[in-house]
Amino acid sequence: MLQGNELPRVGAPAGAATREHFERKERCVARGITHMAPIVIESARGAVIRDIDGNLYLDFYGGIGVANAGHCPGGVVETIRRQAEKLLHSCFMVAGYTPYVDLAEKLVEITPGDGPKKAMLVNSGAEAVENAVKIARAHTGRPGVIAFEASFHGRTLLTMSLTSKVKPYKHQFGPFAPEIHKVPSAYCYRCLFGASYPDCGLACLDYFDRFFTAEADPTEIAAMIIEPVQGEGGFIVPPPEFLPGLREICDRHGIVLIADEVQTGFGRTGRLFASEHYGVVPDLITLAKGIASGLPLSAVVGRAEIMDAPTPGRIGGTFGGNPVACAAALATIGEIETQNLCARARHIGEFLEGRLRTLQKRYPQIGDVRCLGAMVAAEFVTDPDSKTPAKEIPGALIAACFRRGLLVISAGVFSNVVRFLPPLVVSDEQLEKAAGIFEEAVEEVLGK
Ligand SMILES: Cc1ncc(COP(=O)(O)O)c(C=O)c1O
């Protein structure tokens, strides 16, 4: 059985079972659903994944930001087992059970904001975003939603419409949901106003004056939704004034500020929620991914008067707040707190950022290094002056890392970013090994 502290061990060739898996998958799974790594996972623990051929990999994508407390944390697995023996499902819309309320109480307690708050539970990040928008519309009686370029909010019709990357997410999937307005995000490396921070004076905030004149009246806007750090867009960390500026604009116009913390939540950025870095209290916050160590669960949490806008029976769902998932979430949050994984995220971020910045001095193709806690990314360009996105580099690097036993994935609105999202329980030895592998991969792909 894996301990979780192993180092990579690769070299066993794909055996018959792996080959058969891929043949069967091709026959019965829609081809739109792809694997990023050509392996079949047998088990995982901590920061280590074992494939069915016996190879061991360091997982630096963490189930895409889900395994914050590590793969299969012992206490969480035991809690799941105990809850599964008692109650798998009843549907919270029909009859109550305590894990739902226990978790709602905990989320209300740990999310930013001191005033009265409430929560609702659903199943996925996209479903949380859908519900946050419904709640904001019910509260304001307004239709419009402002979203940001380079954002990702999910793959359902509404959340895909809020999302800002054409391929693969939107192409041929229209028509899109109406009443959605896109504005530039604070992507300083590629500022849409051609300015540079801090001399820009935050042109992206000033833009709202023009937007509210040319595009939409603020009295018709229900909500503004922002990822405090844009995740799929390429780990875009805004300057410190950006979120407080958005808070002020929303306050001025009675717009509900939704922080989509699906990827940034639960310790990932070095605080329990990334909004805390900016001293901003969102009206609503959407949560998923790291909440329950992999069980499907998501939440909308926010100001009670807004959360209560939909009258009884108007929000919910068959599986939302499943008792096993709620129990897993409570145990996961317990692990994050008792192991102080926020501090660990900060350590991981500092370590990886340092190594990437050293590499950047040797490789001009590393155009930008961005990081907030253990959300760490490198953006690749053909040359630093033109900043032309080098889309082919992440794929080659990811393959070179894979051959050495390190799993990383790409991101970026221009598909030119490699991102690191390791489980926050990763050891120093594993971090050192992963950084070494990445450096070797860069040397292989970009030359010594
Ligand atoms: C910020 C953000 N919001 C929403 C989603 C959608 O979550 P899900 O895939 O669980 O629907 C994601 C997924 O990556 C995300 O990163």
Side-chain angles (χ1 to χ4, degrees):
M1 181 156 152
L2 285 175
Q3 300 302 310
N5 57 359
E6 292 86 348
L7 294 175
R9 195 183 65 220
V10 288
T18 296
R19 289 196 301 274
E20 191 198 342
H21 168 93
F22 284 104
E23 281 158 21
R24 285 170 56 211
K25 175 189 175 273
E26 209 156 296
R27 281 198 298 274
C28 66
V29 178
R31 67 180 178 152
I33 297 185
T34 51
H35 296 322
M36 293 187 196
I39 56 171
V40 183
I41 296 175
E42 178 239 79
S43 56
R45 199 165 186 91
V48 180
I49 283 176
R50 175 159 56 202
D51 74 11
I52 60 174
D53 300 306
N55 295 300
L56 300 187
Y57 299 89
L58 281 180
D59 173 11
F60 270 52
Y61 71 98
I64 316 197
V66 168
N68 291 9
H71 286 285
C72 299
V76 177
V77 172
E78 180 52 26
T79 303
I80 291 171
R81 197 187 59 73
R82 280 203 307 269
Q83 178 58 44
E85 281 171 357
K86 282 201 276 187
L87 178 68
L88 283 177
H89 174 77
S90 84
C91 188
F92 197 74
M93 295 187 305
V94 178
Y97 44 84
T98 48
Y100 192 117
V101 176
D102 292 343
L103 179 60
E105 272 175 0
K106 185 73 184 170
L107 293 175
V108 159
E109 176 202 317
I110 63 176
T111 46
D114 297 328
K117 279 179 281 166
K118 288 193 172 184
M120 74 167 295
L121 305 176
V122 275
N123 303 289
S124 67
E127 209 183 339
V129 171
E130 292 265 351
N131 278 281
V133 170
K134 281 168 67 174
I135 292 167
R137 283 178 169 161
H139 172 70
T140 56
R142 304 172 180 177
V145 183
I146 295 174
F148 290 81
E149 197 189 273
S151 62
F152 182 88
H153 298 290
R155 295 172 184 258
T156 59
L157 176 60
L158 176 65
T159 58
M160 169 183 66
S161 305
L162 293 168
T163 288
S164 187
K165 182 169 175 178
V166 178
K167 283 183 183 171
Y169 303 129
K170 301 174 77 138
H171 180 57
Q172 295 181 330
F173 290 152
F176 302 108
E179 298 295 345
I180 287 166
H181 308 277
K182 288 280 166 54
V183 294
S185 64
Y187 190 176
C188 298
Y189 183 63
R190 296 183 183 279
C191 177
L192 266 177
F193 303 95
S196 28
Y197 178 82
D199 300 339
C200 61
L202 276 292
C204 45
L205 289 178
D206 291 343
Y207 173 77
F208 279 92
D209 290 338
R210 178 171 167 161
F211 172 83
F212 287 138
T213 305
E215 290 301 326
D217 194 86
T219 60
E220 286 170 332
I221 302 295
M224 178 189 287
I225 181 161
I226 178 83
E227 298 160 79
V229 176
Q230 290 184 307
E232 304 298 306
F235 288 14
I236 301 165
V237 184
E241 302 89 338
F242 186 61
L243 264 93
L246 297 181
R247 176 70 275 179
E248 195 275 317
I249 291 166
C250 287
D251 286 343
R252 200 170 349 128
H253 297 293
I255 295 169
V256 174
L257 179 64
I258 305 172
D260 183 349
E261 296 237 20
V262 164
Q263 191 157 162
T264 51
F266 296 102
R268 172 57 52 189
T269 66
R271 305 289 291 263
L272 214 37
F273 302 101
S275 306
E276 296 170 37
H277 288 282
Y278 301 96
V280 163
V281 178
D283 297 308
L284 301 178
I285 207 169
T286 52
L287 303 168
K289 287 195 186 282
I291 191 170
S293 295
L295 266 67
L297 185 72
S298 63
V300 186
V301 191
R303 280 170 49 201
E305 90 222 55
I306 301 178
M307 290 298 294
D308 277 342
T311 48
R314 296 190 66 218
I315 49 175
T318 304
F319 295 119
N322 166 275
V324 183
C326 288
L330 282 160
T332 300
I333 296 167
E335 296 280 342
I336 292 169
E337 288 176 339
T338 53
Q339 293 189 56
N340 199 1
L341 293 182
C342 289
R344 191 69 197 152
R346 294 194 289 274
H347 169 78
I348 293 167
E350 277 162 27
F351 175 85
L352 289 175
E353 185 190 12
R355 296 292 279 260
L356 288 175
R357 291 215 182 277
T358 306
L359 264 184
Q360 190 183 24
K361 293 197 186 101
R362 283 172 59 202
Y363 294 96
Q365 296 96 326
I366 303 181
D368 200 20
V369 173
R370 296 186 287 268
C371 142
L372 190 65
M375 250 179 128
V376 185
E379 173 160 355
F380 289 87
V381 291
T382 55
D383 68 277
D385 297 326
S386 75
K387 295 186 181 174
T388 305
K391 293 182 189 189
E392 65 296 340
I393 293 179
L397 275 177
I398 288 166
C401 287
F402 171 72
R403 286 194 295 278
R404 293 168 170 83
L406 174 68
L407 299 176
V408 285
I409 57 174
S410 64
V413 73
F414 304 106
S415 309
N416 63 331
V417 173
V418 175
R419 60 174 148 169
F420 301 83
L421 283 168
L424 306 179
V425 296
V426 66
S427 71
D428 283 347
E429 198 187 7
Q430 290 170 324
L431 272 177
E432 181 60 46
K433 184 73 190 170
I437 290 179
F438 190 71
E439 284 152 6
E440 278 175 39
V442 169
E443 285 179 356
E444 179 189 314
V445 172
L446 300 178
K448 285 211 180 185

